[in-house]
Structure formats: structure tokens, C-alpha cells
């Protein structure tokens, strides 16, 4: 039999007499109950809002004036105060009886405020009829100063005659404190900037002194030869690793070297110092170029490879042997991973002196170095340089390297000139690179004076060769 509704169990001592429509079990009834509750809450909220709004409507104009969050006062045209609200009186710590009809607006101001009021505020108010947002200072009863922002407007009669001045005063103490905090912050930041600039200047000076200590102060005079050198520092804030030197080996021969240590900063400076002194000492023991580089390679590898921080460099080492009878100079060089030297001939040609196969100095325990020999006749110059020159970035987008061929073409233009003139031309070229030159560059030129030298180029920058 199909049942409809709940049937009473005869065995149940408390039969359930509820029906399907009992509010306690009917979901629809539960929903209705919840809706009634929500409606009651909304109604209570609406009543509270209406009560608050009604309270605002009942707020009197007098109370609005007296208890406003800003100061109000009305004055006669001569500044005599005719009306002032409680807010402003409380700020200043004054009694109404002592102010109304007895004091003028300027009596409420500090000495500085009075001067500004008489020279600027009042004249502008008379001309314009209104003025707003003027910063003044009022004096409180206890002698303290209170920064305020003042706005005033003139009320005119029917015939256009001025009747009174209505003024609003806003408390600017929080704003003044904020401005003073900003000013203190600005002063602190400016002082920090000046201190940083002074620290940077001292650091740059120290770095410049240290950099100069890694280079020869002057090049020694060599009979029958001329020398010139230049060192370009890409950044005054860091130590470079380029180096060069020229020194006598014995009474007839001179040694020279030029190179570039991997890296920048104090570590590179330490390697540079070690490299210079090692090559000088090696040359006095055995001046053969390959032997000198081999000694340097052994020292660098033993010093740095064991510590897990290998240091290495590129270098060219050479020996000059002048022949007084012919005026020629024999040059024997060896290179360790360094860009090839350029030979500028008196006949107006220039070409590289290849030293293929030379490895970086200090990378391997037994590195192989290659020697090369050339002869410099009168008017010839040997030019050594570091890769900062050939790796300078050129072009409008600064993404093209200057390169070896451009350097050879530039050197050809200056072939036959004295070493000083060649270095001067290259210095001008480095200046033209501008921000495209971001690596230190060392230049060294060794030449034999010509019997009929080519005139030096015009030092006028307008005549410099361009890239």
C-alpha cells in the first residue's frame, strides 16, 4: 500500500503528531523565517541611518559655526574683529570678550605674519576682493606660534561698497610638521649625497694613485730610439689590469713588455704588480722573450691555480738590440695570447707582426709561446696595444667592434711619423669612441728616428682621423 505522509506506529509510546506542514520541519517555512530575520536587520539599520540623518538636520547653524573644524571670524574693513567662532578661540587660548570689538585681525598674528599681512595679504584682498590659501602664523596665548592657512573674502553692499571681511582659518600644524619632516629628509639626503660624492672623489684619487704606481712614471731614454706611451682609464671607479714597461737589460739592450690582466679591481691590480716585477726579474736572468714569458707563466700558475681562483694575462715581451753602425734596431718578441704588434714603416705601410699559437699566460703549467723577429729601420715604429682599442664599440647603435683591420688602416695613415705623433693620433681616436670605449687601453710605441721625418699632424681636433 502506498503511504502519504507519516503513519503512526502503534508501538510508539509517544506518537508523532506533526504533519508535513509543521513549520519545524518544513523547509519552506525555515526559509520564510530566515527572510523575516534578514528583513528585521535591514530595517534596524535603516532606522539607525534615518536617525543619524535626522540628527544632522536638527543641527543648528549656530552650532555648525561655533564647532566647525576650522576657524571663522568676521571683521570690519579696518580689521576689527566683530565675530569669531569657538574653534578659533580654543586654538588660540583666548576669551571671546577679550577679542570681539577689542582686537584686530593683525593682533592675532606674529610679527612676521603682520608684516606679510600688511605688505601682501591686505593689498591683494582690497584689489581682488578675495584671497585664499595664504600661509601665516598666529600667536597663541601662551606665546607659541601656530601655522595656519587663511582665506578671506570681502562682502559688498548693494551699492558695491565693501562692508566686512569674512575669513576662514585652517590649522596647518600637521602640515607644517610634515613639511619640516620632508625638509629634514631632503637635507639628510643632500648631506648623504655630498658625503657620497666626497667619498667617491677620495676613492677615485686613491685608485688613480694606485693605478699610477702600477705603471712606469717615465720611459727611460734609449740611444737611437724614441718612445711614447699612453694609458686610458675607462672608469675612475675601478682599477684596470693593463700594464706596460720599458727598462734596460744591459749596456746595449732594452726590454719592453705590454699586457692585460684578466679582470678588474684589487685582484687584477695584485696580478698586475706581480706580473711587472716577475718580467723585470726574469729579463735580468734570461732576456730571451720566450724564456721570460715561460717564467711568468710558471709563477702565475703556481700562485693562483691551487687556490681554485686561476689568474692569467695576455702579454707581449720583447728585446731591442740597436746597431749603431746601421741605425737599425732588431726586435725579438714573444706573445702569450696577446693581439699582434703593428709595424709602421717609413714608406707609409703598416702591417701586423704575427706571433701565432701563443697561449694565455698562467692558464697551463707548460704553455707554449712563439717568438718573432723584425728589424726597425729609420722612420719605422713598433706599436703595441691592448684589446680595449680593437674591441671598442662603434656605430650609432654601438654594437660593431672597431676591429684589427680598422686599426691597421688607421695606423697606415700615420706610418712614417714619430712615436709621439702616433700615440697622439691614437689618443684622439680613443676620445672619439666616447662611451663605446668601456675597457682600459694601454698604448706603447717604439720607433727609430728618421733622417728626414714626416711632419707631425696638426694637433687641431678638427683634423683628427675619424672611425
Amino acid at each position: 500500500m502506498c503511504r502519504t505522509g507519516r503513519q503512526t506506529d502503534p508501538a510508539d509510546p509517544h506518537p508523532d503528531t506533526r504533519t508535513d506542514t509543521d513549520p519545524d520541519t518544513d523547509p519552506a517555512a525555515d526559509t520564510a523565517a530566515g527572510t523575516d530575520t534578514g528583513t528585521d536587520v535591514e530595517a534596524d539599520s535603516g532606522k539607525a541611518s534615518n536617525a543619524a540623518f535626522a540628527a544632522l538636520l536638527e543641527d543648528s547653524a549656530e552650532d555648525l559655526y561655533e564647532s566647525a573644524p576650522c576657524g571663522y571670524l568676521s571683521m570690519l574693513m579696518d580689521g576689527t574683529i566683530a565675530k569669531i567662532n569657538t574653534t578659533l578661540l580654543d586654538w588660540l587660548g583666548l576669551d571671546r570678550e577679550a577679542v570681539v570689538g577689542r582686537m584686530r585681525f593683525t593682533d592675532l598674528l606674529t610679527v612676521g605674519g603682520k608684516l606679510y599681512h600688511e605688505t601682501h595679504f591686505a593689498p591683494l584682498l582690497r584689489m581682488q576682493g578675495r584671497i585664499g590659501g595664504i600661509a601665516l602664523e598666529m600667536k597663541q596665548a601662551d606665546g607659541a606660534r601656530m601655522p595656519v592657512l587663511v582665506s578671506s573674502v570681502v562682502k559688498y553692499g548693494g551699492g558695491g561698497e565693501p562692508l566686512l571681511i569674512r575669513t576662514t582659518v585652517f590649522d596647518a600644524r600637521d602640515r607644517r610638521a610634515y613639511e619640516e619632516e620632508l625638509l629634514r629628509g631632503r637635507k639628510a639626503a643632500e648631506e648623504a649625497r655630498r658625503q657620497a660624492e666626497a667619498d667617491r672623489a677620495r676613492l677615485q684619487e686613491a685608485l688613480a694613485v694606485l693605478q699610477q704606481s702600477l705603471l712606469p712614471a717615465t720611459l727611460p731614454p734609449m740611444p737611437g730610439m724614441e718612445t711614447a706611451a699612453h694609458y686610458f682609464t675607462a672608469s675612475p671607479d675601478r682599477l684596470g689590469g693593463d700594464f706596460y714597461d720599458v727598462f734596460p737589460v744591459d749596456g746595449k739592450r732594452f726590454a719592453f713588455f705590454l699586457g692585460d690582466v684578466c679582470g678588474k679591481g684589487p685582484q687584477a691590480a695584485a696580478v698586475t704588480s706581480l706580473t711587472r716585477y716577475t718580467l723585470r726579474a726574469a729579463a735580468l736572468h734570461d732576456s730571451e722573450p720566450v724564456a721570460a714569458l715561460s717564467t711568468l707563466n710558471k709563477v702565475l700558475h703556481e700562485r693562483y691555480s691551487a687556490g681554485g681562483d686561476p689568474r692569467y694575462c695576455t702579454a707581449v715581451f720583447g728585446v731591442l738590440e740597436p746597431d749603431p753602425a746601421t741605425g737599425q734596431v732588431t726586435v725579438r718578441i714573444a706573445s702569450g695570447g696577446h693581439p699582434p704588434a703593428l709595424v709602421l714603416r717609413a714608406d707609409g705601410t703598416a702591417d701586423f707582426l704575427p706571433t701565432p699559437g701563443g697561449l694565455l699566460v698562467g692558464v697551463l703549467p707548460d704553455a707554449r709561446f712563439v717568438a718573432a723577429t723584425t728589424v726597425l729601420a729609420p722612420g719605422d715604429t713598433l706599436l703595441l696595444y691592448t684589446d680595449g682599442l680593437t674591441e671598442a664599440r662603434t656605430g650609432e647603435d654601438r654594437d660593431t667592434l672597431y676591429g684589427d683591420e680598422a686599426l691597421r688602416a688607421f695606423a697606415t695613415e700615420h706610418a712614417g711619423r714619430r712615436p709621439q705623433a702616433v700615440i697622439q693620433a691614437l689618443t684622439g681616436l680613443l676620445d672619439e669612441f666616447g662611451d663605446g670605449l668601456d675597457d682600459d687601453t694601454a698604448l706603447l710605441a717604439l720607433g727609430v728616428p728618421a733622417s728626414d721625418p714626416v711632419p707631425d699632424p696638426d694637433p687641431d681636433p678638427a683634423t683628427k682621423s675619424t672611425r
Side-chain angles (χ1 to χ4, degrees), residues 39-354:
T39 302
D40 293 342
V41 172
E42 293 177 357
D44 292 342
S45 176
K47 290 179 180 179
S49 299
N50 291 336
F53 189 73
L56 288 175
L57 293 178
E58 294 174 358
D59 199 7
S60 67
E62 184 66 21
D63 186 56
L64 286 174
Y65 177 84
E66 293 294 340
S67 304
C70 61
Y72 286 122
L73 67 162
S74 300
M75 303 168 285
L76 304 180
M77 293 308 299
D78 64 356
T80 301
I81 299 174
K83 191 175 183 179
I84 185 171
N85 73 341
T86 303
T87 300
L88 185 54
L89 289 171
D90 291 343
W91 286 350
L92 301 180
L94 299 174
D95 293 328
R96 193 182 305 274
E97 291 76 11
V99 175
V100 175
R102 297 176 178 272
M103 299 179 67
R104 297 188 178 187
F105 178 66
T106 53
D107 295 330
L108 304 179
L109 303 177
T110 61
V111 174
K114 290 180 181 180
L115 290 175
Y116 189 85
H117 180 273
E118 296 299 328
T119 58
H120 294 79
F121 190 97
L124 285 175
L125 181 60
R126 285 194 297 267
M127 287 188 298
Q128 301 175 359
R130 63 176 58 243
I131 189 170
I134 301 300
L136 295 174
E137 280 190 335
M138 288 185 163
K139 57 183 180 182
Q140 296 173 304
D142 59 1
R145 296 183 176 187
M146 177 180 176
V148 295
L149 292 176
V150 178
S151 298
S152 294
V153 61
V154 177
K155 179 181 179 181
Y156 296 93
E161 69 282 5
L163 298 179
L164 57 88
I165 301 172
R166 290 171 175 167
T167 297
T168 305
V169 179
F170 289 92
D171 185 353
R173 283 175 291 191
D174 291 341
R175 173 175 174 173
R176 176 68 61 84
Y178 174 70
E179 291 174 345
E180 290 176 350
E181 184 65 27
L182 286 180
L183 183 59
R184 285 192 294 269
R186 182 180 300 175
K187 289 181 178 179
E190 182 65 21
E191 180 61 29
R193 183 188 64 80
R194 286 195 296 266
Q195 185 62 44
E197 290 179 350
D199 293 342
R200 183 183 180 190
R202 287 193 291 268
L203 175 62
Q204 290 178 350
E205 182 180 0
L207 291 177
V209 172
L210 180 56
Q211 188 76 70
Q212 288 299 319
S213 70
L214 301 175
L215 301 171
T218 59
L219 298 180
M222 290 189 291
M225 293 199 72
E226 294 179 341
T227 61
H230 176 71
Y231 192 98
F232 173 84
T233 301
S235 172
D237 297 320
R238 63 180 184 180
L239 285 171
D242 294 11
F243 59 89
Y244 66 85
D245 204 353
V246 179
F247 55 96
V249 176
D250 50 38
K252 296 181 180 180
R253 299 180 302 161
F254 282 79
F256 63 89
F257 58 78
L258 180 142
D260 184 3
V261 169
C262 175
K264 303 291 180 184
Q267 295 83 359
V271 179
T272 298
S273 179
L274 176 62
T275 297
R276 292 184 68 244
Y277 290 117
T278 299
L279 286 176
R280 272 182 166 264
L284 297 177
H285 176 72
D286 186 348
S287 61
E288 285 299 317
V290 171
L293 288 185
S294 297
T295 299
L296 176 62
N297 182 80
K298 181 178 180 180
V299 170
L300 292 181
H301 189 269
E302 290 180 353
R303 174 70 177 273
Y304 293 103
S305 61
D309 184 21
R311 296 284 172 173
Y312 52 88
C313 69
T314 67
V316 174
F317 184 93
V319 175
L320 304 170
E321 298 181 2
D323 185 350
T326 62
Q328 296 179 336
V329 177
T330 300
V331 183
R332 293 182 291 110
I333 68 172
S335 175
H338 198 80
L342 266 168
V343 181
L344 286 63
R345 299 297 182 182
D347 61 3
T349 61
D351 210 344
F352 293 107
L353 180 61

Side-chain angles (χ1 to χ4, degrees), residues 391-402 436:
E391 293 182 359
R393 294 173 286 108
T394 63
E396 295 183 359
D397 50 4
R398 298 296 191 190
D399 63 356
T400 302
L401 298 183
Y402 184 64

Side-chain angles (χ1 to χ4, degrees), residues 423-440:
I423 294 299
Q424 179 183 356
L426 287 169
T427 301
L429 179 63
L430 294 177
D431 292 339
E432 291 179 12
F433 287 140
D435 59 2
L437 187 61
D438 53 9
D439 193 9
D440 290 4

Side-chain angles (χ1 to χ4, degrees), residues 222-227 326-329 346 376-381 416-420 446-454:
M222 290 189 291
M225 293 199 72
E226 294 179 341
T227 61
T326 62
Q328 296 179 336
V329 177
L376 299 180
D380 294 347
T381 295
R417 302 190 185 278
R418 300 170 59 188
Q420 292 87 346
L446 310 165
V448 180
S451 55
D452 186 16
V454 176

